[in-house]
Amino acid sequence: MVRVRLLPGPEEAAALAATLRVVNEAADAVSAVAFAKGATSRNDLHKLTYGRLKGEFGLGAQAAVRTVKKVVDAYAALRGNVRAGRLGPEGSPRRARTTSKRIAFRPDAAQPFDDRMLSWQHDAGTVSIWTVAGRLKGVRFTGAPDHLKTLAAFRKGESDLVCREGKWFLLAVCEVPAVPLNVHPVDWIGVDRGIVNLATTSDGRNYSGRRLSRYRRWQARKRAELQAKRTRSANRRLKRRARREARHAAHINHTIAKDCVAVARRTGRGIALEELRGIRDRVRPRRDQRAALSSWPFHQLDRYIAYKAESAGVPVIWVDPAYTSQMCPRCGHTANNNRPDRDTFCCRRCGLAGPADHVAGVNVRNRARSAWVLINGPAPQRT
């Protein structure tokens, strides 16, 4: 997915805003029919609503098709979340509240466009896009040079029109061919993740989370001040701050993932990560630790490393995280008192000492070596 920014003029921006408003009103009407009739098939819902979308809302044929598809996809995602248990077990208040009402669409919710409704002129840096006010031609767009290069070479499928805080974007699907996977890595880079240090590699590279934690505490104070006002303006500012904080954390995780994958690709190694899914359910933090644990972005870092590694041909493996911070990588002795404090590791048997997070990263690397042997046969060479 590549994001580019549109640069429409005032009249073009007004036409785009009117388009999102109309198509989302139409999507609300389709959603009401789908909920009332229990229609989950795209063809059935198309037959029930196509004429109304063209007559009452004035949508073109292809815009009506995309709107119906958007509603069908929204209900499919809801059913998937229910099956996966993301809305709670059967009978839970959250699940009952969510499934007892139809899906509603915001007036400025994103709208998908296919190649019949949106065309790209890469040499000119413009797009031609359908709107309820007619087709807009020559709307300029811009983006990062590498993103524009990827867009021109690999764009395929739909593009979503998005409005965020008065700015217009197109999110285009790109199918980039994967680099052949390195099935014979010479070794592994173990990555230990935490809250104080977001990531520490077995090479000794440390990515501190101190600045992110300080930023989150500052945002929490500002959030408390705004929440105390209880006004609509304060609520709007809270939402903007939440999005800004999420973007900041995502930028940091992108940077960490990019560095780890670049080192692994340059040295011919793979990346080993701890399997931490469900860790929030396994621990009972103190009250003052709940915010830090709930905002710990390790799942996002996992996703970023995985997809960047796939595009670079770097293998990624997840290993058992049990006792990686308490086990000595030299003699294998495991005990709680091997770690006298959060930052220090000192083996009580052989005397090995060092930074605790670095030792944990080495243990992750060693477990990846053993796991790779079980999966693929001979062990990778050690350096």
Side-chain angles (χ1 to χ4, degrees):
M1 185 75 74
V2 170
R3 186 181 75 171
V4 297
R5 183 175 175 183
L6 289 180
L7 303 173
E11 294 182 359
E12 295 170 331
L16 294 175
T19 300
L20 284 190
R21 186 172 60 254
V22 171
V23 295
N24 283 301
E25 289 175 358
D28 270 336
V30 175
S31 178
V33 173
F35 184 76
K37 302 286 187 179
T40 58
S41 168
R42 178 180 174 182
N43 290 336
D44 293 342
L45 199 55
H46 179 91
K47 294 176 183 177
L48 291 171
T49 60
Y50 180 75
R52 183 182 174 189
L53 292 179
K54 294 197 68 177
E56 180 179 341
F57 296 97
L59 299 186
Q62 205 62 22
V65 171
R66 292 297 98 198
T67 300
V68 171
K69 181 65 165 53
K70 179 168 77 167
V71 175
V72 171
D73 290 344
Y75 278 98
L78 175 61
R79 292 193 300 272
N81 287 331
V82 170
R83 285 195 300 268
R86 299 189 186 98
L87 300 177
E90 186 175 357
S92 65
R94 182 186 178 194
R95 180 168 174 176
R97 184 172 60 252
T98 305
T99 57
S100 63
K101 57 184 179 181
R102 67 175 178 85
I103 294 177
F105 293 86
R106 301 187 319 274
D108 60 347
Q111 174 69 11
F113 286 73
D114 60 17
D115 288 342
R116 295 185 181 182
M117 305 166 63
L118 173 69
S119 60
W120 300 78
Q121 295 80 44
H122 297 287
D123 293 338
T126 61
V127 296
S128 172
I129 185 170
W130 173 88
T131 70
V132 293
R135 196 170 187 92
L136 300 180
K137 298 181 179 180
V139 181
R140 294 186 300 122
F141 68 87
T142 186
D146 55 337
H147 289 180
L148 297 179
K149 184 178 179 180
T150 301
L151 181 71
F154 303 112
R155 190 201 65 80
K156 186 175 182 179
E158 293 182 347
S159 302
D160 290 344
L161 177 65
V162 178
C163 181
R164 293 177 180 168
E165 299 178 2
K167 299 176 183 178
W168 293 93
F169 300 93
L170 282 172
L171 307 183
V173 176
C174 296
E175 292 187 3
V176 181
V179 176
L181 181 66
N182 177 17
V183 295
H184 300 292
V186 297
D187 204 351
W188 297 88
I189 299 176
V191 181
D192 176 71
R193 285 154 298 156
I195 296 176
V196 176
N197 294 319
L198 296 177
T200 304
T201 70
S202 55
D203 294 344
R205 180 70 184 273
N206 179 55
Y207 300 91
S208 175
R210 182 176 301 173
R211 292 184 63 184
L212 179 59
S213 297
R214 186 166 61 243
Y215 177 79
R216 287 193 185 280
R217 289 195 299 270
W218 179 77
Q219 287 283 9
R221 289 196 298 271
K222 296 297 182 182
R223 187 162 53 245
E225 294 174 4
L226 289 172
Q227 287 171 340
K229 295 183 180 298
R230 297 177 178 273
T231 62
R232 290 185 179 181
S233 176
N235 289 337
R236 288 195 295 269
R237 293 181 65 184
L238 282 170
K239 291 179 181 179
R240 286 199 298 269
R241 282 189 174 275
R243 291 192 292 267
R244 187 181 306 159
E245 183 177 350
R247 290 195 299 270
H248 182 75
H251 171 73
I252 291 175
N253 278 334
H254 270 299
T255 303
I256 296 173
K258 184 177 180 180
D259 287 351
C260 291
V261 172
V263 172
R265 184 180 184 181
R266 186 177 68 250
T267 58
R269 291 181 287 176
I271 298 177
L273 302 169
E274 297 169 294
E275 178 55 85
L276 297 179
R277 286 183 298 181
I279 189 172
R280 292 191 179 99
D281 300 327
R282 297 195 298 267
V283 299
R284 295 179 62 87
R286 298 192 309 266
R287 185 171 183 176
D288 60 336
Q289 295 176 329
R290 292 174 188 169
L293 184 63
S294 62
S295 61
W296 182 24
F298 69 91
H299 279 314
Q300 186 183 65
L301 180 58
D302 274 10
R303 294 197 307 271
Y304 289 172
I305 289 178
Y307 92 79
K308 291 178 188 294
E310 182 181 3
S311 64
V314 174
V316 178
I317 191 171
W318 280 264
V319 301
D320 183 7
Y323 306 109
T324 53
S325 62
Q326 302 172 10
M327 184 176 71
C328 176
R330 178 192 291 171
C331 67
H333 177 63
T334 303
N336 288 335
N337 59 0
N338 279 352
R339 192 167 178 173
D341 55 57
R342 200 212 66 79
D343 297 320
T344 307
F345 180 91
C346 183
C347 180
R348 300 303 179 183
R349 178 182 292 174
C350 69
L352 176 70
D357 291 339
H358 176 225
V359 170
V362 173
N363 284 327
V364 173
R365 180 198 64 190
N366 294 342
R367 290 189 179 181
R369 290 170 174 173
S370 302
W372 195 252
V373 171
L374 296 176
I375 298 172
N376 294 280
Q381 299 176 0
R382 300 188 182 186
T383 58

